[in-house]
Structure formats: structure tokens, C-alpha cells
Amino acid sequence: QKEVEQDPGPLSVPEGAIVSLNCTYSNSAFQYFMWYRQYSRKGPELLMYTYSSGNKEDGRFTAQVDKSSKYISLFIRDSQPSDSATYLCAIDSFSGGYNKLIFGAGTRLAVHP
Amino acid sequence: SQTIHQWPATLVQPVGSPLSLECTVEGTSNPNLYWYRQAAGRGLQLLFYSVGIGQISSEVPQNLSASRPQDRQFILSSKKLLLSDSGFYLCAWNHEGEVEAFFGQGTRLTVV
């Protein structure tokens, strides 16, 4: 079983739609959950992260963690064409003095006008 | 401010040829450094990480090696490339205990 599972999509939505991106993970010990955004031919950039369970909101983006079901989500409200990118969930496994980021496969999102 | 440089952006190499990808970080000291590979439809796979000069840990057995000759320099190498080495290679850094990692722009390697 992979440590982090993510549907690679692609996902195509009209502008203004609410987007839901999801991942599941296997190790209940994970504490930090991250969402990275990657534009085509670029390196990923951290979008937001949450610690333990709960929600975190930043503008149009909401990250949600449900530790009981080992499920993490990213919601994008009022999606824009500029949101078109690949979204990668990541789990932070801190051990031995470094952060080993375990990534999902990434979901490619296309928001069309 | 801190920046990370990775080059080249694109590389096409024949099977059996050597490889050297370089990554440097500016504006910080004693970073943790990482090499990831991203294959199409798959997540980022951690290849190597380094917590200091000359200290390299490998995550997966492979045809590649890494070196850290200076504090802010991280090099990914191969003596003989395989077709399966094709992919998008990303260098990243952070500081010990920090959650966020900062990525370079990546090198797209095609082995032909």
C-alpha cells in the first residue's frame, strides 16, 4: 500500500466551480499535511499546510484533514483559470533530523473560462 | 532572500552517457538538500537527501549518485544513463525542523 494515494485526474471544471481534491494516507502517525501547487514545467510551491486534524482557510482555498479516516482534502472556491495546475498532497514524515516529504501522484486541474 | 538554482532546464542524453545535474542555494546556510524525481502520472520520489557537507543518504537503490561538495551545492550524477532514468528532476531545500521545502525549477531529462 502506498503511503499517500491521490487520484491523478485530470480534472476539468468551468470557471467559478468549487473544486475538491483529495488524498488518503496510510500512517496514522503523520502530523503535517501539505498541499503543493505545480505549474507546468515548474517546481512545486507550498500552497498551505495543516497540523493534525481540522480545517485551514486561506482566501479561496481550504485544507481539511480527517485523521480518523486518514483523508485530506483541498477545496478551491470560485475557481479561476489561473488555478490550472497540478496539485500534490504531501505528508511530512520527520525523522532523523530531516523532513521526508511523501507526495501523492498529483491531480492535474484545468479550469476553463 | 533565499533562492535555489538548478540547471540545466532541459537535457537530452544518449543511453550510456554520464550525467551531472547541479543545484545551488543562495541566501541561507546549512540547508537540508534533497533530490526528487517526478515521473509522468506519479508523485515526487525522494532520491537523496543531505543534512551537511559530504553527508548523503539514499532513499532508493538506483543508477544515480549524489554529492555535496559545499554547504549549498548538491550534485546528482550517473556514470551511465539508462532509459529509465528519464524524468523530471527537482532539487529542494529546507532547514531542520521546518515543514516547508523550497523547490528549484527542475531539469527535464530525456534519455534516448
Side-chain angles (χ1 to χ4, degrees):
Chain A
Q1 182 186 9
K2 288 184 180 178
E3 292 182 280
V4 181
E5 300 267 11
Q6 183 177 10
D7 185 342
L11 186 62
S12 181
V13 301
E15 183 175 355
I18 297 175
V19 177
S20 173
L21 304 168
N22 309 291
C23 291
T24 58
Y25 62 95
S26 59
N27 190 336
S28 59
F30 293 139
Q31 295 284 5
Y32 286 93
F33 307 91
M34 287 148 280
W35 284 97
Y36 280 79
R37 180 172 60 193
Q38 184 179 22
Y39 291 111
S40 181
R41 301 183 184 277
K42 301 291 185 182
E45 293 179 316
L46 181 67
L47 190 59
M48 55 196 309
Y49 74 90
T50 55
Y51 175 74
S52 195
S53 283
N55 292 1
K56 186 173 184 179
E57 189 173 318
D58 184 2
R60 298 184 293 110
F61 298 86
T62 300
Q64 190 173 79
V65 177
D66 183 345
K67 294 198 77 179
S68 62
S69 58
K70 301 193 187 75
Y71 199 81
I72 60 176
S73 302
L74 178 70
F75 299 97
I76 308 175
R77 294 184 301 280
D78 187 26
S79 56
Q80 303 294 310
S82 59
D83 295 329
S84 299
T86 296
Y87 290 81
L88 300 117
C89 60
I91 310 299
D92 178 63
S93 174
F94 183 75
S95 64
Y98 81 103
N99 298 99
K100 177 181 176 181
L101 294 181
I102 305 170
F103 285 89
T107 300
R108 185 181 300 177
L109 171 68
V111 181
H112 51 86
Chain B
S1 63
Q2 303 95 345
T3 56
I4 179 169
H5 301 280
Q6 192 181 340
W7 66 91
T10 306
L11 192 59
V12 180
Q13 292 282 101
V15 169
S17 65
L19 173 73
S20 181
L21 302 181
E22 189 164 341
C23 170
T24 59
V25 180
E26 295 179 356
T28 188
S29 60
N30 197 31
N32 288 345
L33 295 171
Y34 310 86
W35 278 112
Y36 285 87
R37 178 169 57 201
Q38 186 175 31
R42 302 180 66 178
L44 277 68
Q45 180 186 35
L46 179 62
L47 302 176
F48 300 96
Y49 72 92
S50 171
V51 298
I53 297 174
Q55 300 179 61
I56 309 294
S57 294
S58 174
E59 282 293 308
V60 294
Q62 59 209 313
N63 185 43
L64 302 168
S65 61
S67 61
R68 185 170 177 174
Q70 300 180 46
D71 181 46
R72 291 171 291 176
Q73 184 184 30
F74 205 23
I75 298 171
L76 183 69
S77 304
S78 174
K79 293 182 179 178
K80 289 186 178 181
L81 284 169
L82 306 172
L83 287 174
S84 57
D85 292 324
S86 294
F88 191 47
Y89 289 83
L90 288 154
C91 180
W93 76 272
N94 69 354
H95 283 131
E96 183 177 328
E98 292 181 350
V99 174
E100 183 175 6
F102 301 90
F103 286 83
Q105 294 301 289
T107 295
R108 186 160 302 280
L109 171 66
T110 303
V111 182
V112 296

